């Protein structure tokens, strides 16, 4: 998650005039301060008079001096200008306050209730994942193999936010933010254990042997009657919009801008190719998607892991200082980000918490759809595998990116050795921080191209998984007959994402992504006894064995 999706809480929208150049953005996402969209100005035939009399509301009388087409355009832009700051403020409060405390609370709650299952059963999960690892899981009669379900979940979790989001957390909260990411991920492993357990425990099996599972099914298990249906319906609509449609648009925008910026390929050509590939995979159903993710996820992980390790080997003498900074600035962040101790510590913790939570997606309700497809009989068996996905997302991918950034840019002689202050703020930002860091070892051009390739794999795999998650909820709401219509609409959004960008759409994606957390977290609290029973049952069986 990501949006994997990048939370741009530091942005304060302002309606103002003027233009400016923006730094190259290989992520395809809005990561710089944006201005709220402005209504179209009035023409000379009375525009000055109405601007003097009505000020910013001059657009209203101006509607009478336009053609019907221009009037529609003005009204649309005015609506966007009005909605944009509202949605931004909603996202700020949700992502910075409400959801952070809610998700941390869920993780801490389940850590205690399961007797820290993320510690007791971590080794078991690693053995299940890597003990018989194969990139050819074989065609399943229905559902996915355990590893295919894991790969599909990781495809959703490891996105552009791992690179751009992690970089943003370091810039805003200092290197110590990484420590707090680790803390959040530790508790998140217990949360995702609960999600996977409930997804399999409450899933439904169709007549053709396929599975339907996810938060909508355990929400209606937790709450019977109208309230449960309302929460489940709210979640389903939110995830279809946030991930299935607009979220895939954001990711395809990343792919299109990446190829156009790094390789000079026109974005519309990228869009056509992407639609053809995605359409082919979507038509093949769950089995074809699983076959793709079980191959692409290890490949993309190996590429990023290899590149990061090369950089760390070349910067080996700075590794001790890098870890020292992470731990030192976790508790003394004012030394690197400035301000008073209280403010700096709050910033380091909040940045680490937010980026960590929205990167590994634990508690957000997305990855349970993938784990519900696993062909396992005991929910515990897949739940411990699910914990590994959080470990890979945060403790491997996100941490490696952070180590590269800190060891190249924050150590002695680096441009950020004295913090993110002064002239460096004009040239470095979260959109180009990673490519700058890799460029220290690879060279500027090669560093940018390496990050571009990684972002492509991350974004493409996320599109595949998010589409599946949205489709499962479309079936819940409208039945299987809705799948063709849903798939066509999703492909349209994917293509549009490569050729256009809209600030309000990006913010609405974040808002629905935030909102879907609430019903999922409520159900997690309500069904804790069910999760504990599964855990205790497995422990009892282990003692007998």
């Amino acid at each position: 998650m990501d949006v994997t999706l990048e939370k741009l809480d530091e942005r304060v929208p302002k309606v103002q005039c003027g233009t400016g150049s923006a730094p190259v953005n290989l992520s395809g996402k809005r990561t710089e301060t944006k201005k709220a969209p402005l209504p179209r100005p009035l023409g000379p035939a009375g525009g000055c008079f109405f601007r003097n009399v009505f000020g910013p509301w001059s657009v209203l009388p101006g509607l009478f001096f336009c053609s019907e087409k221009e009037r529609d355009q003005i009204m649309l832009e005015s609506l966007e200008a009005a909605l944009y700051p509202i949605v931004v403020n909603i996202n700020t409060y949700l992502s910075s306050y409400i959801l952070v405390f809610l998700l941390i609370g869920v993780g801490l709650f389940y850590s205690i209730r399961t007797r820290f299952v993320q510690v007791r059963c971590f080794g078991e999960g690693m053995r299940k994942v890597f003990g018989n690892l194969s990139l050819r899981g074989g065609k399943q009669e229905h559902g996915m193999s355990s590893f295919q379900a894991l790969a599909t979940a990781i495809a959703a979790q490891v996105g552009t936010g791992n690179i751009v989001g992690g970089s943003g957390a370091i810039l805003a909260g200092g290197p110590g933010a990484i420590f707090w990411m680790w803390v959040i991920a530790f508790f998140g492993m217990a949360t995702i254990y609960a999600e996977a357990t409930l997804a399999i425990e409450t899933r439904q099996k169709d007549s053709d042997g396929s599975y339907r599972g996810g938060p909508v099914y355990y929400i209606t298990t937790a709450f019977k009657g109208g309230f449960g249906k309302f929460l489940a319906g709210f979640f389903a609509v939110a995830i279809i919009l946030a991930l299935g449609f607009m979220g895939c648009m954001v990711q395809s925008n990343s792919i299109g801008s990446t190829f156009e910026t790094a390789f000079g390929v026109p974005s519309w050509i990228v869009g056509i190719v992407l639609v053809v590939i995605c359409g082919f995979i979507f038509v093949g159903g769950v089995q074809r998607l699983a076959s793709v993710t079980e191959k692409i996820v290890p490949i993309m992980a190996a590429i990023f892991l290899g590149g990061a390790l090369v950089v760390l080997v070349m910067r080996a003498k700075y590794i001790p200082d890098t870890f020292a900074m992470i731990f030192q600035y976790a508790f003394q962040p004012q030394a690197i980000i400035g301000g008073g101790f209280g403010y700096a510590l709050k910033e380091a913790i909040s940045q680490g918490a937010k980026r960590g939570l929205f990167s590994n997606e634990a508690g957000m309700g997305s990855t349970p759809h993938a784990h519900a497809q696993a062909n396992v009989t005991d929910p515990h068996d897949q739940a411990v595998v699910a914990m590994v996905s959080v470990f890979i997302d945060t403790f491997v991918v996100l941490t490696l990116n952070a180590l590269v950034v800190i060891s190249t840019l924050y150590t002695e002689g680096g441009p950020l050795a004295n913090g993110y202050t002064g002239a460096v703020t004009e040239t470095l930002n979260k959109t180009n921080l990673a490519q700058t860091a890799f460029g220290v070892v690879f060279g500027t051009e090669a560093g940018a191209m390496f990050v571009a390739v990684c972002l492509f794999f991350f974004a493409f795999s996320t599109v595949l998984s998010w589409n599946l998650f949205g489709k499962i909820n479309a079936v819940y709401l409208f039945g299987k007959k809705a799948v063709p219509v849903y798939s066509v609409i999703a492909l349209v959004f994917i293509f549009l994402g490569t050729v256009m960008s809209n600030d309000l759409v990006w913010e609405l994606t974040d808002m629905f992504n935030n909102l879907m957390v609430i019903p999922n977290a409520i159900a997690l609290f309500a069904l804790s006894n069910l999760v504990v029973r599964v855990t205790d049952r497995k422990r009892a069986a282990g003692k007998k064995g």
Side-chain angles (χ1 to χ4, degrees), residues 183-202:
V183 173
I184 295 304
F186 173 77
F187 292 115
M189 291 170 71
T191 302
I192 210 165
Y193 174 91
E195 287 184 303
T197 297
L198 294 174
I200 295 176
E201 192 75 9
T202 62

Side-chain angles (χ1 to χ4, degrees), residues 19 66 176 204 209 226 259 276 286 297 303 344 517 541:
T19 59
C66 307
Q204 299 177 7
F259 269 72
V276 171
V286 171
V297 167
I303 291 174
V517 176

